[in-house]
């Protein structure tokens, strides 16, 4: 759990710094929201990367996390600004498991 939180924190920090300094959308709150979506994807993917979770369980938890992201984004901003957070989340989540699929043990934890 500690490493998953570390992945979340590092993913959020790196994504925020890239968005803030390179893309500069002039909305710091939105940059932070997208960075949290990015960090959450890395942290959750790492946390679920164990044999303890079945594939349907992993999918269910990732869809639940995307639902929470949209709900929070809609409450804070609007739906048009909340949807890109799902794209960032799902891209990172899929990339994590794509990279893991090239390993012999199908996990990035080991």
């Amino acid at each position: 759990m500690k490493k998953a939180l570390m992945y979340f924190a590092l993913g959020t920090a790196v994504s925020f710094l890239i968005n803030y300094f390179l893309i500069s959308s002039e909305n710091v709150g939105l940059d932070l929201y997208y960075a949290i979506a990015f960090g959450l994807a890395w942290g959750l993917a790492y946390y679920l990367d164990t044999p303890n979770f079945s594939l349907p369980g992993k999918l269910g938890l990732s869809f639940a996390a995307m639902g929470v992201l949209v709900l929070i984004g809609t409450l804070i901003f609007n739906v048009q600004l909340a949807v890109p957070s799902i794209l960032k989340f799902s891209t990172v989540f899929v990339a994590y498991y794509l990279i893991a699929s090239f390993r012999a043990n199908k996990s990035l934890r080991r």
Side-chain angles (χ1 to χ4, degrees):
M1 181 65 137
K2 287 181 182 181
K3 275 194 172 181
L5 290 173
M6 182 185 70
Y7 272 81
F8 166 72
L10 287 174
T12 300
V14 168
S15 178
F16 178 75
L17 292 173
I18 288 171
N19 283 335
Y20 186 74
F21 289 113
L22 299 179
I23 298 171
S24 184
S25 70
E26 297 181 8
N27 187 343
V28 176
L30 189 61
D31 288 342
L32 183 60
Y33 173 69
Y34 290 154
I36 289 171
F38 187 89
L40 179 65
W42 277 115
L44 188 61
Y46 182 82
Y47 179 72
L48 295 176
D49 189 17
T50 95
N52 299 338
F53 292 100
S54 65
L55 182 59
K58 291 176 184 181
L59 290 173
L61 287 172
S62 69
F63 282 129
M66 287 189 277
V68 168
L69 280 172
V70 169
L71 180 64
I72 291 171
T74 302
L75 292 174
I76 297 172
F77 305 107
N78 60 36
V79 175
Q80 290 82 11
L81 295 176
V83 169
S85 70
I86 296 173
L87 299 174
K88 291 178 186 299
F89 180 93
S90 60
T91 301
V92 170
F93 204 82
V94 169
Y96 182 95
Y97 284 104
L98 179 68
I99 294 167
S101 72
F102 291 113
R103 296 203 37 173
N105 60 6
K106 305 298 183 213
S107 174
L108 295 182
R109 281 193 157 196
R110 296 182 191 128

